[in-house]
Amino acid sequence: MDITQLNTLTTQVLWAAFILAALFGAIAQRTHFCTMGAVSDILNMGDWTRMRMWGMAIGVAMIGFYGMAAAGLIDPSKTLYASNRFIWLSALVGGGMFGFGMVLASGCGSKTLVRIGGGSLKSLVVFVVMGVAAFATLKGITAVLRVATVDRVAIDFSSNAALSNWAAAVSGWSPAVAGLVIALVLGGGLIVWALAGPDFRRPDNLLAGLGIGAVIAGMWWVSGHLGYVAEHPDTLQEAFLATNSGRMEALSFVSPVAYTVDWFMFFSDKAKLLTIGIVSVFGVVVGSALYALLSRSFRWEGFRDAEDTGNHLVGAVLMGVGGVAAMGCTVGQGLSGISTLSATSFVAVAAIVAGCVAGVRYQVWRLERSV
């Protein structure tokens, strides 16, 4: 493959990622797919509908990922989440911060982008502040603190810290086959649980669960198969085109938001290239905006008062710092990461949910005190 062919393939990868992200944005805007909303619905109304959406999406993404792995289309050991280090403390602390922060900021990273597409100016502020906080935690002042504290605590394994590898060691199967078996049992169980809800089997709910899960699986195919080059002409090594990490990636909306802010700030720097993460950020906003305009649900929205502004600013910082520490958000870890059966992802998701519960309880407590 020569440079011209490589550039053409890179363009195809970026367009494919943008289209899939736009589908994500449109589906989320139509169906109100939201992890924070799902937790809030359960706590405040006892309604599990949106949580069933999330469960189905996880199941579909998990089965899709390991179905492709078993077919030899992608390699599970080369994802962003594949590591011998089980960074449980980073996932626990970062996930908790992110979960609490997304309540204060009226939604997680993906919901922030969806709300921007729907006309929310305060979500635009959250986007910028979260991006700056995330970049500082990747490479700046809070990165020094992260590396010196939570990142030091980990459990090192001889192979990838994932349920598929642990099952493979016991069963003698390959990690891909073991992962597919777990995905069919666990992911299939989540799909069955979602469908068992008496009020769940409606078009929008099915669209959210099946559509979002399929988008995540599609992103794994784009990054890990379409964008995979066995021998890059410049380095003569394998490469995953247009990724920030140099590894296989799917959707995530914390670090990519940071890289998007960086791309805007240093646009004239020829070294700043578009990546899957950056175009995914644009894609979600565009998809959400298109649906909002077509459905006439687009509405400008600003901050209510100074207290509302402060809550969103604090929430944005917590999401930026916590999301990087946990290596992802409700989509990055809650869908993309957990679809790979990464042990760290399971801890991060549990911590995000716990942080969200604490955040909702805190908001209720504040409202009760103000009455």
Side-chain angles (χ1 to χ4, degrees), residues 49 76 104 172 217 231 252 275 297:
T49 302
L104 297 180
E231 187 176 284
S252 188
T275 62
S297 60

Side-chain angles (χ1 to χ4, degrees), residues 15 29 75 79 94 97 105 127 135 160 174 242 271-272 337 355 361 371:
W15 272 112
Q29 179 67 256
D75 185 348
T79 73
M97 291 175 64
F127 168 85
F135 204 85
N160 182 21
S174 69
K272 301 295 181 181
R361 299 289 192 200
V371 174

Side-chain angles (χ1 to χ4, degrees), residues 30-86:
R30 176 185 174 87
T31 64
H32 304 291
F33 181 89
C34 175
T35 308
M36 186 206 79
V39 175
S40 179
D41 286 352
I42 294 169
L43 294 176
N44 296 329
M45 298 180 292
D47 184 358
W48 286 76
T49 302
R50 285 202 279 184
M51 185 59 75
R52 291 180 191 275
M53 289 181 185
W54 194 40
M56 176 176 278
I58 292 173
V60 171
M62 196 178 288
I63 292 172
F65 178 87
Y66 273 102
M68 289 186 288
L73 297 176
I74 59 175
D75 185 348
S77 69
K78 295 176 181 177
T79 73
L80 172 65
Y81 306 97
S83 173
N84 292 7
R85 299 195 79 218
F86 176 32

Side-chain angles (χ1 to χ4, degrees), residues 112-298:
T112 295
L113 299 177
V114 171
R115 286 165 60 86
I116 290 172
S120 175
L121 296 176
K122 62 183 181 181
S123 290
L124 182 60
V125 174
V126 170
F127 168 85
V128 174
V129 175
M130 181 177 69
V132 172
F135 204 85
T137 313
L138 284 167
K139 301 182 178 182
I141 185 169
T142 41
V144 176
L145 180 62
R146 169 178 60 82
V147 172
T149 56
V150 293
D151 279 8
R152 289 180 176 272
V153 181
I155 300 173
D156 294 318
F157 291 91
S158 58
S159 62
N160 182 21
L163 270 61
S164 54
N165 286 68
W166 296 342
V170 174
S171 65
W173 298 333
S174 69
V177 172
L180 179 59
V181 172
I182 296 174
L184 289 172
V185 174
L186 182 57
L190 286 170
I191 294 172
V192 170
W193 169 74
L195 292 172
D199 298 324
F200 181 80
R201 295 184 295 275
R202 296 176 179 175
D204 277 2
N205 297 336
L206 295 172
L207 174 63
L210 295 173
I212 296 293
V215 166
I216 299 298
M219 285 296 298
W220 282 125
W221 182 85
V222 167
S223 175
H225 184 75
L226 178 63
Y228 175 72
V229 176
E231 187 176 284
H232 193 286
D234 289 338
T235 64
L236 303 182
Q237 296 179 343
E238 68 174 7
F240 294 93
L241 299 179
T243 61
N244 286 110
S245 65
R247 298 172 69 84
M248 194 189 341
E249 300 175 359
L251 290 182
S252 188
F253 298 109
V254 179
S255 294
V257 169
Y259 291 123
T260 302
V261 172
D262 179 60
W263 182 82
F264 271 119
M265 291 175 63
F266 297 98
F267 177 79
S268 61
D269 184 347
K270 300 301 181 183
K272 301 295 181 181
L273 302 176
L274 287 173
T275 62
I276 286 175
I278 294 172
V279 299
S280 295
V281 168
F282 291 136
V284 172
V285 175
V286 169
S288 172
L290 285 175
Y291 183 81
L293 291 169
L294 291 173
S295 63
R296 298 184 179 181
S297 60
F298 185 93

